C-alpha cells in the first residue's frame, strides 16, 4: 500500500509533503514544485488518476487503493494529453474490470490500533459488460498525545469506494464509466514548535510523540463546531468520469469527460502550543469539470502521432478562520471565491528511422484565465477589510524535441530538450493589504536531459541513468510579505531565474538465486541566480530584539535552493521455497534517505529540516500456487525521530514529525 506521501519512495529526486500534517499534499520532482496550502494554484506536478487530470491535489486523497500501477514522469510535459506542466506528472492507474470473476480482501493491523481493510470484486455482468467494485477503510494509528491532558491524537477515520463499469458495444469501441467517493474524518498530526519569537509565549520542550494543542470555546463557537473537536479533517470527495475510445483503423479516437467535487473542513493548531496564536479552521467547496479529446495513430506505423484538445473549469469558495487572540488580540475570517478555466491544444510526433533511431517532437499551446473574487478579511468584533478583485490571463507555448537510439534490444540512449509552462497564481490567506493579492507571473522551465536504459545482463541486471539541467524562469515560490504593524504573511512571489541540475540512477539486480534488489539514487542541486526577497530569519531576529516589525531584504543570488540534495530509496528481498516447495518465504528490508531541506531561502537552524534515514523490514509467507499470503512488517524499524516538513505561523516556526515505528501484520486473499 502506497499513500500519497509515500510516493516519494518510488523514484529518485521526488519529494511529497503533507502540509501541516493535513490531507493537502505537495509534490516536487527534480526540485520543481510548489508549497501550496490554499489550493489556489495549478501544481507544477500534475496528478492523474486513470488519465483524469486533478489540478487540485487534495482531490486524490484516499484514492490510492486497488491500484494497478504508478508512473512518475519527470520534466516538462503536456504534448500528448492533459495540461502542460513544468515539473512532471504522477499517473495513478487503478485496476480495471475483468472478463472473468476475481475477488479478494486484505486486512492490515498495526501499532497504535491502526486498521486498514481493502476489498474488491470484479467480473462480467453480461456478454460485453464488466464491472469492478473496490473499497478501503482506515481507522486508528494515532501516535501523538498531549502531555498536559494526555489527550490522544492522530487517529484515522476514513472510507472510500470506487466503481467501474466497462462496455464494449462492438469490437472497435470501449466505454468505461467510473465513480468514486471518499469520506475523511481523520485527526491530523500537530507540529512541534522549534522557534518562538514572543518571549511571553515560551516554546514548550516536547518528547518525540508529544504535541500541544488547544481549542478555545470562543473560536469553536465562531466556526460552528464543538469545543471538544481535535485537530482533524471533515472532508468528502467524489467524482465521476466516462472514457470512450473508438478504433478508426488508421487511428483511435478517445474522449475523457470528468467531474470532481471537494468539500473540505479542516481544523489545525498551526503553532503547536496551547496558546491562541495560530489555530486555523478552513472550509473549501470546489469542483472541476474537464473534457479531453485526442486521436492517436497506430503504434506500428513508422510515424506515430497524437493530437488533441483539453478544457477544464474550476469553481472554488474558501473561508479561513484564525484565532490570534494571544498574539494579535483578535480572531480573523478571510473568505473569497475563485474561478479558473484552461484550454489547451497539443500534438506529439514520433518518427522511426532505420537502425533503431527515433526522432521525437511535441507542442502545446495553453490559455489560462483565473479570477480572485470578493475577498474580505473580517477582524471579529473589530473591522472588515474589503479588497479589489484580482485576475490573470495567460497564453503560453511549450514543447519538446528529442532523439532516441536503440542499437540493440537491451540498450537505449536518448537526448531531449523541453520547455514547460505553468500559469500564474494567487495568494489568499489572512489577507491584510491589497499588495498580498498581486498575482504571480507564469513560470517556465527549459530542460535538457540525457540518459540511458540498459539490460546489462538480461533478467539479472538492469541499470537506468539520467542527467539533467533546468533553466528555471519566474519560478513561483512561497515567500513572505511583511505587513506593517502586523507581521510576516506567506505570499507567492516569482524568482526571476534559477538553475537546477542533477543525476539519477535506478537499478534492478538479481545477482544470486532467490535475491532481488531494487535501488533508486538521485542527486540534485538548485541555485538561485537572480532573487531578492524578504529575509524571514533576519526579520524575525530583528523583531525578537526590538519588539517591532521591520523588513530586512536580502539578495539570494548564488544561494542554494534548499531541496534535498541526495535522495535514495530501495529494497532487497530473499525469496526461498520451503516445506517441500509448496510455500515461499520472503524476508526483506527497505530503506530511504533524504538530505536536509531548507524551509526558507538560505534557511539554517530552525529554518532547515535535518536529514534522516529510515529502515523497514518484512517477512511474507505464501503458497507457491495459492490465493492467500500473510506478512509481518515494521516501518521506521529503529524508531528514529525525524521531521518531514515545517512552516511559520505568526511568531512560531514549527516542524512536523514523521511517524514513529509501526509494527504490523497483513493477511490477504485473492481469487
Amino acid at each position: 500500500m502506497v499513500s500519497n506521501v509515500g510516493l516519494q519512495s518510488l523514484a529518485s529526486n521526488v519529494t511529497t509533503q503533507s502540509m501541516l500534517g493535513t490531507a493537502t499534499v505537495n509534490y516536487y520532482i527534480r526540485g520543481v514544485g510548489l508549497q501550496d496550502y490554499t489550493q489556489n494554484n495549478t501544481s507544477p506536478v500534475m496528478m492523474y488518476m486513470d488519465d483524469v487530470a486533478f489540478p487540485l491535489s487534495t482531490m486524490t486523497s484516499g484514492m490510492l487503493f486497488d491500484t494497478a500501477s504508478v508512473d512518475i514522469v519527470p520534466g516538462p510535459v503536456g504534448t500528448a494529453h492533459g495540461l502542460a506542466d513544468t515539473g512532471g506528472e504522477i499517473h495513478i492507474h487503478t485496476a480495471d474490470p475483468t472478463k472473468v470473476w476475481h475477488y479478494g480482501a486484505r486486512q492490515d493491523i498495526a501499532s497504535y490500533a491502526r486498521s486498514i481493510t481493502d476489498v474488491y470484486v470484479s467480473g462480467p455482468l453480461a456478454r460485453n459488460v464488466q464491472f469492478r467494485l473496490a473499497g478501503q477503510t482506515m481507522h486508528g494509528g494515532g501516535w501523538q498525545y498531549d502531555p498536559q491532558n494526555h489527550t490522544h491524537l492522530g487517529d484515522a477515520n476514513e472510507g472510500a469506494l470506487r466503481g467501474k463499469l466497462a462496455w464494449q458495444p462492438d469490437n472497435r469501441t470501449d466505454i468505461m464509466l467510473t465513480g468514486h467517493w471518499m469520506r475523511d474524518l481523520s485527526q491530523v498530526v500537530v507540529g512541534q514548535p522549534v522557534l518562538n519569537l514572543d518571549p511571553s509565549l515560551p516554546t514548550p520542550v516536547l518528547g518525540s510523540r508529544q504535541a500541544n494543542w488547544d481549542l478555545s470555546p470562543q473560536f469553536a463557537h465562531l466556526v460552528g463546531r464543538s469545543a471538544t473537536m481535535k485537530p482533524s479533517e471533515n472532508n468528502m470527495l467524489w467524482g465521476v468520469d466516462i472514457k470512450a475510445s473508438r478504433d478508426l483503423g488508421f487511428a483511435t479516437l478517445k474522449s475523457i469527460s470528468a467531474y470532481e467535487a471537494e468539500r473540505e473542513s479542516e481544523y489545525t493548531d498551526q503553532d503547536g502550543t496551547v496558546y491562541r496564536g495560530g489555530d486555523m479552521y478552513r472550509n473549501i467547496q470546489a469542483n472541476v469539470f474537464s473534457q479531453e479529446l485526442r486521436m492517436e495513430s497506430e503504434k506500428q506505423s513508422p510515424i506515430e502521432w497524437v493530437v488533441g484538445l483539453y478544457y477544464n473549469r474550476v469553481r472554488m469558495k474558501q473561508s479561513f478562520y484564525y484565532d490570534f487572540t494571544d498574539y494579535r488580540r483578535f480572531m480573523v475570517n478571510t473568505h473569497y471565491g475563485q474561478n479558473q478555466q484552461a484550454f489547451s491544444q497539443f500534438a506529439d510526433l514520433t518518427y522511426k528511422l532505420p537502425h533503431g533511431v527515433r526522432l521525437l517532437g511535441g507542442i502545446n499551446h495553453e490559455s489560462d484565465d483565473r479570477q480572485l473574487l470578493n475577498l474580505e478579511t473580517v477582524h471579529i468584533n473589530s473591522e472588515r477589510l474589503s479588497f479589489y478583485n484580482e485576475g490573470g490571463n495567460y497564453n503560453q507555448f511549450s514543447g519538446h524535441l528529442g532523439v532516441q537510439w536503440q542499437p540493440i534490444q537491451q540498450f537505449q540512449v536518448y537526448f531531449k530538450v523541453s520547455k514547460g509552462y505553468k500559469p500564474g497564481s494567487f495568494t489568499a490567506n489572512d489577507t491584510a493589504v491589497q499588495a498580498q493579492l498581486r498575482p504571480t507571473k507564469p513560470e517556465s522551465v527549459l530542460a535538457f536531459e540525457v540518459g540511458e536504459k540498459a539490460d546489462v545482463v538480461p533478467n539479472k541486471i538492469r541499470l537506468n541513468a539520467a542527467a539533467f539541467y533546468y533553466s528555471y524562469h519566474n519560478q513561483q515560490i512561497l515567500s513572505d510579505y511583511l505587513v506593517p504593524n502586523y507581521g510576516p504573511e506567506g505570499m507567492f512571489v516569482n524568482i526571476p531565474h534559477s538553475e537546477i541540475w542533477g543525476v539519477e540512477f535506478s537499478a534492478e539486480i538479481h545477482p544470486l538465486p532467490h535475491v532481488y534488489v531494487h535501488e533508486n539514487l538521485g542527486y540534485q542541486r538548485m541555485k538561485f541566480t537572480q532573487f531578492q526577497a524578504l529575509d524571514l530569519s533576519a526579520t524575525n531576529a530583528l523583531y525578537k530584539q526590538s519588539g517591532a516589525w521591520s523588513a530586512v531584504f536580502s539578495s539570494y543570488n548564488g544561494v542554494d535552493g534548499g531541496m534535498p540534495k541526495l535522495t535514495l530509496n530501495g529494497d532487497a528481498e530473499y525469496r526461498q521455497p520451503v516445506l517441500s516447495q509448496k510455500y515461499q518465504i520472503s524476508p526483506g528490508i527497505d530503506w530511504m534517505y533524504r538530505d536536509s531541506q531548507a524551509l526558507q531561502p538560505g534557511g539554517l537552524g530552525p529554518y532547515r529540516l535535518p536529514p534522516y534515514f529510515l529502515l523497514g523490514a518484512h517477512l511474507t509467507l505464501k503458497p507457491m500456487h495459492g490465493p492467500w499470503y500473510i506478512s509481518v512488517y515494521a516501518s521506521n524499524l529503529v524508531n528514529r525521530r525525524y521531521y518531514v516538513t515545517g512552516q511559520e505561523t505568526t511568531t512560531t516556526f514549527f516542524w512536523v514529525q514523521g511517524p514513529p515505528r509501526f509494527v504490523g501484520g497483513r493477511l490477504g486473499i485473492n481469487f
Side-chain angles (χ1 to χ4, degrees), residues 12 62 94 125 130 133 137 141 152 156 258 262 294 319 331 385 394 423 441 457 474 541 550 571 606 630:
S12 306
T94 62
L125 291 178
Q130 307 86 41
L133 184 64
T137 64
H152 192 74
E262 172 183 346
R294 69 175 184 258
S319 294
M331 294 182 288
L385 307 175
Y394 313 100
K441 302 175 184 177
V457 180
N474 288 320
S550 181
D571 58 80
I630 187 169

Side-chain angles (χ1 to χ4, degrees), residues 15-20 24-47 55-58 85-88 338 370 422-428 440-443 445 472 474-479 490-495 500 526 563 597-599 645-647:
T15 296
T16 56
Q17 293 177 313
S18 169
M19 287 296 293
L20 313 176
T24 299
V25 178
N26 295 320
Y27 304 90
Y28 295 80
I29 300 179
R30 295 178 175 174
V32 180
L34 186 67
Q35 188 179 5
D36 184 17
Y37 180 58
T38 58
Q39 304 183 63
N40 292 108
N41 312 286
T42 301
S43 172
V45 176
M46 185 61 62
M47 289 286 294
L56 305 179
S57 64
T58 303
D85 270 312
T86 49
Q338 181 169 313
R370 57 187 64 206
K422 188 186 94 67
S425 59
F426 299 112
T427 309
T440 62
K441 302 175 184 177
E443 71 175 31
V445 170
Y472 206 164
N474 288 320
Q475 174 188 357
Q476 296 167 20
I477 188 173
L478 181 61
S479 184
M491 179 177 176
F492 293 113
V493 301
N494 288 107
I495 300 173
I500 305 174
M526 181 178 184
M563 292 303 295
Q597 178 181 351
L599 300 172
T645 188
Q647 196 172 319

